[in-house]
Amino acid sequence: MSKIQQTLSIIKPDAVERNLSEEIKNEFKNNNFDILKEKKVKISKSEAEKFYQVHQSKPFYNDLCEYLSSGPIVVMVLEKNDAILENRKLMGATDPIKAEEGTLRKKYGISIDKNSVHGSDSLDNAKIEIDFFFKD
Ligand code: IDP
Ligand code: MG
């Protein structure tokens, strides 16, 4: 049985820089996601390090944090039935080359690091990530 969930979505610097934010937001709306909250921010490298701390042992961690803090991003809370899985499906594989036709990363991604969108990967992480950007 499906149930209503919230997930965190980020339009990453490469997509914001190419003025794709409105187009990508429309992709979410057309796929029946409700955008409950939304803001455009620029985060510091240390904030990016905290956000991506699960990846701290990975060889790409430093570049990843440099990149996420390199320019404005659009962060959103998306709501839908099975939002976490549905958003992961809409985004497609991490590497745009491997992403299926019609997915956001296939359409908009440039490379594995500049892959245009982030989406929470579990219910626990969705809560943590939503709090990270929207806890007052
Ligand atoms: P995900 O974004 O599909 O959940 P993760 O494995 O959580 O993928 O990795 C987080 C981000 O780190 C990816 O979106 C991508 O931008 C970057 N990344 C993942 N693997 C690599 C890699 O092998 N080289 C460079 N960047 C990577
Ligand atoms: Mg991930």
Side-chain angles (χ1 to χ4, degrees):
M1 213 176 71
S2 64
K3 62 174 187 307
I4 195 95
Q5 292 177 336
Q6 294 176 2
T7 190
L8 186 87
S9 170
I10 303 178
I11 304 176
K12 293 185 178 184
D14 67 274
V16 175
E17 186 176 86
R18 287 176 288 147
N19 294 313
L20 292 168
S21 302
E22 286 308 310
E23 193 170 332
I24 292 175
K25 276 162 54 183
N26 283 330
E27 297 261 11
F28 291 121
K29 291 177 194 165
N30 293 340
N31 283 277
N32 297 314
F33 288 90
D34 289 324
I35 302 175
L36 301 186
K37 294 180 184 175
E38 175 193 340
K39 63 181 177 183
K40 191 173 183 177
V41 291
K42 187 174 183 300
I43 62 172
S44 65
K45 174 124 187 247
S46 62
E47 287 171 316
E49 286 168 349
K50 191 174 169 217
F51 181 77
Y52 274 132
Q53 63 188 348
V54 293
H55 293 302
Q56 60 189 336
S57 63
K58 307 273 174 63
F60 56 81
Y61 179 63
N62 186 60
D63 287 348
L64 177 60
C65 297
E66 285 277 359
Y67 166 64
L68 196 70
S69 57
S70 68
I73 57 176
V74 176
V75 291
M76 293 167 287
V77 177
L78 303 181
E79 186 174 82
K80 186 182 176 172
N81 279 326
D82 290 329
I84 294 160
L85 185 62
E86 289 294 309
N87 183 36
R88 298 289 304 189
K89 284 201 275 187
L90 180 59
M91 290 196 308
T94 306
D95 186 347
I97 289 171
K98 295 177 184 154
E100 280 183 46
E101 219 49 65
T103 61
L104 300 183
R105 283 166 164 173
K106 176 75 174 188
K107 281 188 188 172
Y108 305 113
I110 297 169
S111 58
I112 191 164
D113 45 328
K114 296 183 176 175
N115 59 6
S116 302
V117 283
H118 166 87
S120 310
D121 64 2
S122 68
L123 201 53
D124 284 350
N125 284 336
K127 291 199 172 80
I128 292 167
E129 292 178 359
I130 289 168
D131 270 0
F132 184 89
F133 283 107
F134 292 101
K135 198 162 190 165
D136 305 308

